[in-house]
């Protein structure tokens, strides 16, 4: 017998606080659970009535909150974003096996002999917290600038380095938006 259950829920909201200023909170939940039982009746090849059972469950919770702002003043385009993210992952697993049940009429693990029974369980939790931000600017869609920063904390990182900061900067030039490039657009 096998049984699998999955649940996926995501709730979000988009709130325009002021023109150009938007807040988006999001909550997500995912659950994956599986149960398995097997029993092999005595037969000519295997007379020991093998039985096994397992139970696995994975839970994922995620919370996000993003505040963003967009503004255009003539040919100047600005945008800024700040946010936070929290994820929690829980995983549980149990499995057992045994043999030597006295009858075919009790097809479960508890009917096997105590000496043959083996059980294993695992459980772990992973957590991650992040805060992040980004600023972008462009002039007339030609000259571009972007700066971002992210700070992550994870239960997977070493205890003395639980948090890390990751900055980024970029600049660009959309040459194809320049007047001198327009004659070449027919060729490219």
């Amino acid at each position: 017998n096998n049984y699998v259950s999955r649940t996926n829920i995501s709730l979000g909201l988009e709130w325009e606080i002021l023109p150009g200023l938007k807040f988006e909170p999001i909550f997500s939940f995912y659950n994956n659970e599986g149960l398995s039982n097997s029993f092999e009746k005595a037969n000519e090849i295997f007379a020991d009535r093998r039985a096994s059972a397992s139970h696995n469950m994975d839970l994922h919770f995620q919370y996000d909150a993003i505040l963003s702002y967009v503004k255009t003043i003539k040919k100047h385009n600005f945008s800024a974003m700040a946010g936070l993210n929290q994820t929690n992952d829980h995983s549980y697993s149990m499995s057992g096996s045994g043999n030597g049940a006295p009858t075919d009429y009790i097809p479960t693990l508890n009917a096997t002999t105590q000496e043959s029974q083996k059980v294993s369980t695992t459980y772990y939790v992973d957590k991650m917290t992040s805060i992040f931000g980004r600023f972008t600017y462009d002039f007339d869609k030609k000259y571009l600038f972007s700066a971002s920063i992210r700070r992550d904390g994870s239960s997977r990182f070493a205890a003395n380095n639980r948090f890390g900061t990751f900055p980024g900067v970029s600049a660009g030039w959309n040459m194809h938006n320049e007047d001198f490039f327009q004659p070449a657009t027919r060729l490219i």
Side-chain angles (χ1 to χ4, degrees):
N1 298 333
N2 293 312
Y3 168 79
V4 175
S5 172
R6 291 184 179 93
T7 304
N8 191 5
I9 298 170
S10 185
L11 302 170
L13 175 71
E14 185 175 305
W15 176 29
E16 188 167 356
I17 301 168
L18 297 169
L21 181 63
K22 186 170 45 171
F23 178 62
E24 296 177 84
I26 300 167
F27 167 76
S28 299
F29 168 77
Y30 175 75
N31 174 41
N32 184 25
E33 185 170 10
L35 298 171
S36 176
N37 289 294
S38 72
F39 181 79
E40 187 175 332
K41 293 182 178 184
N43 56 54
E44 297 80 27
I45 299 172
F46 299 108
D48 60 353
R49 296 185 178 96
R50 297 175 187 174
S52 65
S54 66
H55 179 202
N56 301 299
M57 183 171 59
D58 297 308
L59 300 171
H60 175 80
F61 299 91
Q62 182 170 333
Y63 313 96
D64 296 286
I66 298 172
L67 184 66
S68 60
Y69 182 69
V70 177
K71 182 74 173 177
T72 298
I73 302 171
K74 296 184 182 180
K75 294 183 178 185
H76 301 275
N77 301 296
F78 304 89
S79 73
M81 181 269 300
L84 62 94
N85 168 271
Q86 172 73 43
T87 60
N88 294 318
D89 291 312
H90 301 260
S91 182
Y92 166 78
S93 175
M94 184 283 299
S95 64
S97 64
N99 58 51
T103 178
D104 287 340
Y105 297 111
I106 307 174
T108 60
L109 187 57
N110 63 329
T112 61
T113 63
Q114 190 172 5
E115 299 80 28
S116 72
Q117 293 176 350
K118 296 179 182 112
V119 177
S120 172
T121 61
T122 60
Y123 178 73
Y124 74 87
V125 175
D126 282 331
K127 295 182 178 185
M128 185 165 175
T129 301
S130 302
I131 56 172
F132 46 88
R134 180 183 68 225
F135 172 79
T136 62
Y137 167 78
D138 77 72
F139 176 75
D140 199 23
K141 305 289 183 196
K142 294 179 186 179
Y143 313 108
L144 316 169
F145 173 79
S146 177
S148 64
I149 191 161
R150 180 177 186 104
R151 181 151 175 86
D152 295 326
S154 174
S155 61
R156 290 185 176 204
F157 294 168
N160 58 344
N161 289 313
R162 193 69 71 196
F163 289 88
T165 302
F166 309 96
V169 176
S170 67
W173 177 29
N174 282 330
M175 189 185 324
H176 67 280
N177 288 340
E178 296 288 353
D179 293 337
F180 69 81
F181 198 82
Q182 294 312 309
T185 58
R186 287 176 276 148
L187 303 171
I188 298 176

